[in-house]
Amino acid sequence: MKAVFIAYNQALSEKVDDALKLAGIKGFSKWADMLGAGTDKGEPHLGTHTWPSMNSGILTIIDDDKVDKLLSYINQINKVAEEQGIHAFVWNIERMV
């Protein structure tokens, strides 16, 4: 099992929701309003007057065989909307109750 955390500009919410559906992923936790700033490119998403945009985040625990498909969809979103900001991170899940 793997944990996949996706952080993204709220403007990409519909595309991320579609990626989960296309990858056959039903279970997830979502944070609708997150603050953040990327490392190299793009602008901060801080919900302020100066930086008004916001991020969202999704955490899903999925079988290993779904990871590549999901990351492929996330990569496609990033290619079209790189300036918006989207990143996916994958961790091993050792145990789950």
Side-chain angles (χ1 to χ4, degrees):
M1 305 263 326
K2 302 286 188 201
V4 181
F5 178 69
I6 308 165
Y8 56 94
N9 184 316
Q10 285 181 339
L12 300 174
S13 292
E14 187 175 332
K15 293 179 191 296
V16 173
D17 291 345
D18 289 345
L20 291 171
K21 288 177 191 169
L22 289 168
I25 297 167
K26 294 183 181 181
F28 61 88
S29 294
K30 185 175 188 175
W31 294 265
D33 295 321
M34 290 178 27
L35 306 177
T39 54
D40 297 335
K41 298 178 183 176
E43 299 177 346
H45 301 162
L46 302 176
T48 65
H49 178 71
T50 305
W51 305 107
S53 62
M54 295 282 288
N55 285 333
S56 289
I58 287 181
L59 178 65
T60 185
I61 311 301
I62 57 178
D63 290 326
D64 291 19
D65 63 344
K66 291 188 176 185
V67 173
D68 287 340
K69 188 172 188 178
L70 177 59
L71 293 183
S72 176
Y73 290 128
I74 298 303
N75 191 42
Q76 288 174 29
I77 295 168
N78 189 49
K79 285 181 181 179
V80 174
E82 188 174 356
E83 292 297 317
Q84 295 293 320
I86 186 168
H87 295 285
F89 308 89
V90 180
W91 295 277
N92 289 320
I93 297 299
E94 295 183 23
R95 295 196 283 177
M96 192 168 88
V97 177

